Amino acid sequence: MDSLSRPPASIDAMAPEATSPRRPGSRRDDAQVREAILTATRHLLDSRRFDELSVADILGEAAVARGSFYFYFASKHQVLAELIRRAVARGQEAAEPWLASPDDPRATVRHGIREGAKLWRQEAPLLRAIVENWRSDAELSALWLDLMGAFTTATADRITADRDAIGSTAAPGVDDATLAATLTWLGERLYYLAAIGVEPFTDEEALVEVLTLMWMSTLYPGK
């Protein structure tokens, strides 16, 4: 092939994903490219700190072009935000039995705490990343405060409902919202300490027992 018939080097170098990810004939469709970015970031966090990762690291792991990354995400912080939304949705499901007017408060409180501990163990790289970095980015800050706020609001509503329904004597004189926030952020801190290997919280059974004790003695004294 002579020089006139050979394609220009710039065309040789242009992979299908290097153009718009919506281009017909792309090797991966939109959903696959987006999931590849999310999966790659999750995998990298198994061995790297989030603040050490660059977009280039994610591109290499996901095998996608830079233009494809920025089509879906404005930054690596947006990738982490999406991964956190997915992970935390499981924690919200675990808390439902207690939030939905429990017949057996101890059993449902323990269930929610145990499922929370399991979630933090299974998703430790992601949850460590958000706890350690949420104040470094405005979007992550808003996300984490919103998620923790949702848990706090639901807990405060349950505390108030118990006072009305069963005459609960939980922490007399303490505002329900403040009490709920304290219990919610206490759990976040202890789960995080377990996730980074701080004793004695690495003993999951002991962690579940102490958090159950704190919640029960605060919300249902005498039970």
Side-chain angles (χ1 to χ4, degrees):
M1 179 181 294
D2 60 30
S3 60
L4 293 177
S5 60
R6 184 181 301 114
S10 59
I11 295 177
D12 278 338
M14 187 180 296
E17 286 182 4
T19 59
S20 168
R22 296 185 181 276
R23 175 183 173 184
S26 291
R27 287 182 300 222
R28 290 183 284 188
D29 64 23
D30 288 358
Q32 290 173 324
V33 172
R34 191 171 190 277
E35 286 302 313
I37 294 167
L38 291 165
T39 300
T41 304
R42 175 64 180 81
H43 182 259
L44 287 168
L45 287 172
D46 285 339
S47 58
R48 304 270 297 277
R49 291 170 55 95
F50 180 74
D51 58 0
E52 296 173 340
L53 292 184
S54 65
V55 170
D57 294 326
I58 299 171
L59 297 180
E61 183 71 17
V64 300
R66 185 171 293 271
S68 296
F69 179 94
Y70 285 111
F71 182 86
Y72 298 104
F73 301 101
S75 67
K76 68 174 187 175
H77 297 87
Q78 281 195 355
V79 182
L80 177 60
E82 176 61 23
L83 290 168
I84 291 297
R85 289 187 191 95
R86 295 183 180 191
V88 171
R90 293 170 48 200
Q92 293 168 335
E93 292 172 3
E96 281 302 317
W98 177 68
L99 295 174
S101 188
D103 294 325
D104 184 348
R106 180 174 293 277
T108 52
V109 165
R110 186 189 298 275
H111 169 78
I113 290 171
R114 186 178 298 282
E115 290 301 305
K118 184 188 301 184
L119 172 65
W120 275 75
R121 170 168 45 82
Q122 293 172 342
E123 300 290 355
L126 289 180
L127 294 166
R128 285 200 310 263
I130 188 67
V131 172
E132 293 168 356
N133 294 278
W134 67 270
R135 295 190 65 188
S136 69
D137 175 78
E139 183 175 350
L140 288 182
S141 293
L143 172 66
W144 197 234
L145 289 173
D146 283 348
L147 291 172
M148 294 298 290
F151 280 112
T152 295
T153 298
T155 300
D157 289 346
R158 177 75 266 147
I159 294 170
T160 301
D162 281 346
R163 291 194 195 281
D164 295 339
I166 63 176
S168 169
T169 57
V174 178
D175 173 71
D176 288 352
T178 301
L179 179 58
T182 300
L183 290 171
T184 299
W185 284 100
L186 171 65
E188 188 250 31
R189 183 51 32 175
L190 295 190
Y191 289 143
Y192 170 71
L193 292 174
I196 62 173
V198 174
E199 300 290 350
F201 306 111
T202 53
D203 182 336
E204 190 168 307
E205 193 60 33
L207 175 61
V208 169
E209 288 301 318
V210 74
L211 277 174
T212 301
L213 173 65
M214 296 296 293
W215 278 67
M216 289 301 300
S217 61
T218 300
L219 300 181
Y220 304 100
K223 289 192 176 184

